[in-house]
């Protein structure tokens, strides 16, 4: 499989609908039965209700040329536009230009955890609204434009709501987003400040998501683009850019192990899809890689199924400080299980106390302040090494998906080490003088 140097012809749609230009995206394809459908705001297969994902028509550009084209592109996810369901001129449209975040060489953390190979932290807290969600929203908004939506919406555990609010503000869409009413203050403020409507729902994320599915079928929500519901196939593709960036930042090489937090599991499944595409396109050399999923013990339905050797995810009622990962009935859970098993990885979980300790560990060793989701990832990374599930002699990437400033309460014990009067005597008495 290679890639066209010319833009493919716009995809035709039935019923007299105008064709859409979403770059190399050719159709929607069912993940379960493979039935193909024209591009449109659809997310479930009409034959078997399986999830739909984007099928591409890549052409014939040589890998070396494509690599060069990507490397000369913008320092954002749009350098990968030839691999995404977006028009070729996407970078010139008003958007937040997310992505191209640092891949931090985590030598100090690696030393503490007993790594002999290189450990990296892909730090996605540097995105415009401080989580990886800016990547997925940037792709969803192009689909929303193509299908003529003017209102953007989503069900969210907090970060997505902020990403939609900000992207809608920049791109001139109206936004109305839905969150559980009891989220962290930092997330609520970040989601509300962009001027769209932010609606708190009395219930948990699974209740919010159910409500949004009802709204789509009702005149009250008609014409709305729900980025993670009716635009979900397009939205999901944004997460592939994490895989692309990691490999490019490693010098067009696959890492041997990746640790990824799970809420719905979409991000993990799309990172795997991105790695597979890079291999098929010849952009990286094929070699085995292992994918590990991370959950909080208070919301660990995928980890529980993995450990029990089950294929079926039993939904749970979440109870954890890692609220961004608090999805009790994860849509992509079964696919996460498949990927962890196929690649020789695992799914593991950590307690809230371990999450807090891991946030502090990452901050103390690498100067990276993660939100609770990042604490889950680093806590699980530590546990996987301690239990012998992850090999510290293999190059590993752990993904920090969000910024600690959004979940300050989790580390409320941190702060001033001393309060002193402005005198040298007081400073010495506090035991802080140079050693
Ligand atoms: C910071 C953060 N990390 C990870 C995730 C997991 O995302 P997914 O639903 O794609 O598994 C979320 C989801 O909201 C999140 O906010
Ligand atoms: Zn199907």
């Amino acid at each position: 499989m290679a890639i066209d140097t010319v833009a493919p012809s716009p995809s035709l749609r039935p019923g007299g609908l105008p064709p859409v230009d979403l770059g190399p995206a050719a159709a929607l394809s069912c993940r379960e039965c493979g039935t193909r459908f024209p591009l449109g705001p659809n997310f479930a297969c009409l034959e078997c209700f399986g999830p739909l994902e984007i099928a591409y028509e890549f052409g014939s550009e040589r890998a070396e040329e494509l690599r060069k084209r990507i490397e000369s592109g913008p320092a954002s996810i749009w350098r990968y536009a030839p691999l995404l369901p977006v028009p070729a001129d996407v970078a010139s449209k008003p958007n937040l230009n997310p992505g191209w975040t640092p891949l931090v060489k985590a030598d100090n953390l690696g030393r503490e955890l007993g790594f002999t190979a290189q450990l990296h932290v892909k730090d996605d807290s540097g995105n415009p609204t401080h989580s990886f969600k800016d990547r997925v929203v940037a792709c969803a908004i192009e689909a929303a434009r193509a299908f003529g939506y003017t209102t953007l919406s989503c069900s969210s555990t907090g970060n997505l709501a902020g990403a939609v609010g900000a992207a809608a503000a920049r791109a001139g869409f109206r936004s109305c987003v839905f969150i559980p009413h009891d989220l962290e203050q930092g997330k609520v403020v970040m989601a509300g400040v962009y001027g769209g409507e932010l609606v708190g729902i009395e219930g948990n994320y699974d209740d919010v998501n159910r409500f949004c599915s009802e709204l789509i079928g009702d005149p009250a929500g008609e014409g709305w683009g729900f980025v993670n519901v009716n635009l979900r196939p397009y939205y999901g593709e944004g997460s592939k850019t994490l895989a692309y960036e990691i490999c490019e930042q490693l010098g067009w090489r696959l890492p041997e192990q990746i640790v990824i937090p799970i809420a719905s599991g979409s991000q993990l499944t799309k990172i795997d899809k991105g790695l597979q595409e890079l291999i098929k396109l010849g952009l990286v050399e094929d070699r085995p890689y292992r994918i590990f999923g991370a959950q909080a013990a208070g919301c660990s339905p995928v980890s529980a199924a993995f450990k029990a050797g089950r294929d079926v995810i039993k939904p749970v009622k979440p109870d954890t400080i890692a609220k961004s990962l608090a999805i009790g009935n994860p849509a992509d859970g079964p696919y996460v299980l498949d990927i962890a098993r196929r690649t020789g990885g695992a799914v593991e979980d950590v307690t809230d106390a371990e999450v807090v300790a891991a946030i502090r560990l990452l901050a103390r060793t690498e100067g990276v302040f993660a939100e609770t989701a990042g604490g889950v990832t680093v806590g699980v990374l530590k546990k996987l090494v301690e239990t012998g599930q992850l090999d510290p002699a293999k190059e590993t990437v752990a993904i920090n998906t969000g910024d600690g400033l959004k979940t300050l309460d989790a580390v409320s014990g941190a702060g001033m080490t001393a309060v002193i009067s402005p005198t040298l005597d007081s400073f010495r008495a506090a035991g802080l003088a140079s050693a």
Side-chain angles (χ1 to χ4, degrees):
M1 180 165 62
I3 275 204
D4 265 334
T5 46
V6 290
S9 54
S11 304
L12 290 170
R13 291 193 298 151
L17 289 168
V20 293
D21 174 11
L22 289 174
L28 293 170
S29 161
C30 174
R31 215 183 147 139
E32 286 299 317
C33 72
T35 306
R36 282 163 79 103
F37 301 90
L39 294 173
N42 302 319
F43 57 104
C45 175
L46 292 174
E47 302 293 327
C48 74
F49 299 113
L52 299 179
E53 53 180 17
I54 311 288
Y56 292 95
E57 243 168 45
F58 294 140
S60 57
E61 189 174 3
R62 285 188 17 246
E64 202 43 53
E65 296 303 311
L66 179 56
R67 244 189 246 132
K68 275 201 203 117
R69 183 144 68 106
I70 291 171
E71 284 167 359
S72 65
S76 73
I77 63 169
W78 302 134
R79 65 203 285 108
Y80 307 108
L83 308 179
L84 296 171
V86 295
D89 64 347
V90 60
S92 65
K93 296 177 191 256
N95 76 87
L96 297 175
N97 294 307
W100 204 240
T101 56
L103 184 70
V104 178
K105 270 192 170 174
D107 291 340
N108 302 326
L109 178 62
R111 211 173 300 116
E112 289 223 8
L113 298 184
F115 272 82
T116 51
Q118 185 68 54
L119 173 65
H120 307 264
V121 172
K122 176 65 173 166
D123 187 10
D124 240 22
S125 64
N127 274 312
T129 70
H130 305 274
S131 89
F132 87 98
K133 295 290 186 181
D134 292 321
R135 297 175 184 272
V136 281
V137 171
C139 286
I141 218 165
E142 293 312 315
R145 271 194 245 268
F147 301 137
Y149 291 125
T150 51
T151 298
L152 281 188
S153 187
C154 67
S155 55
S156 171
T157 57
N159 282 314
L160 183 58
V164 168
R170 175 74 57 88
F173 285 78
R174 173 186 177 229
S175 72
C176 180
V177 299
F178 300 90
I179 54 173
H181 70 107
D182 59 351
L183 288 183
E184 302 95 334
Q185 194 56 18
K187 297 234 179 83
V188 174
V189 171
M190 261 212 92
V193 76
Y194 301 108
E197 278 151 276
L198 173 66
V199 182
I201 300 276
E202 291 163 350
N204 61 30
Y205 174 81
D206 298 287
D207 299 316
V208 178
N209 204 35
R210 234 183 344 263
F211 169 74
C212 286
S213 301
E214 267 179 53
L215 196 47
I216 284 177
D218 189 275
E222 210 173 80
W224 289 20
F226 286 78
V227 301
N228 57 339
V229 189
N230 55 2
L231 299 176
R232 190 172 177 84
Y234 310 89
Y235 153 100
E237 295 296 285
S239 287
K240 293 191 312 182
T241 58
L242 271 161
Y244 302 153
E245 284 181 23
I246 289 168
C247 290
E248 185 179 350
Q249 288 167 328
L250 288 176
W252 294 108
R253 206 155 44 74
L254 289 168
E256 294 177 285
Q257 305 176 124
I258 311 185
V259 187
I260 306 164
I262 304 166
S264 73
S266 169
Q267 186 195 24
L268 187 147
T269 59
K270 297 305 178 199
I271 286 175
D272 179 60
K273 189 177 186 221
L275 297 177
Q276 291 293 321
E277 283 176 358
L278 292 182
I279 294 168
K280 281 191 202 135
L281 290 165
L283 291 171
V284 296
E285 210 171 290
D286 194 4
R287 68 163 175 177
Y289 61 84
R290 304 168 76 196
I291 292 199
F292 296 85
Q295 293 205 293
C299 182
S300 52
V302 189
S303 166
F306 181 85
K307 289 177 186 174
R310 268 190 279 111
D311 291 333
V312 176
I313 310 281
K314 288 189 193 156
V316 299
K317 254 200 162 25
D319 180 15
T320 169
I321 58 166
K323 295 188 179 186
S324 57
L325 304 184
I327 297 184
N329 190 11
D332 286 308
Y335 301 115
V336 170
L337 288 176
D338 285 349
I339 291 165
R341 288 178 182 142
R342 168 170 56 76
T343 64
V347 186
E348 190 46 278
D349 56 88
V350 281
T351 64
D352 284 357
E354 289 170 309
V355 173
V356 173
I359 293 173
R360 287 171 173 271
L361 173 66
L362 178 62
R364 176 171 62 73
T365 52
E366 299 299 342
V368 172
F369 184 21
E371 75 149 89
T372 44
V376 168
T377 306
V378 172
V380 162
L381 169 72
K382 180 170 186 284
K383 189 166 176 183
L384 289 167
V385 174
E386 286 166 358
T387 53
Q389 298 179 81
L390 181 142
D391 186 352
K394 289 196 164 141
E395 187 169 43
T396 301
V397 178
I399 302 183
N400 173 36
T401 47
D403 192 328
L405 290 172
K406 295 193 196 185
T407 58
L408 284 173
D409 279 358
V411 283
S412 56
M416 288 176 257
T417 47
V419 176
I420 61 170
S421 59
T423 66
L424 288 172
D425 282 348
S426 179
F427 180 71
R428 285 195 187 92
L432 298 167
S434 69

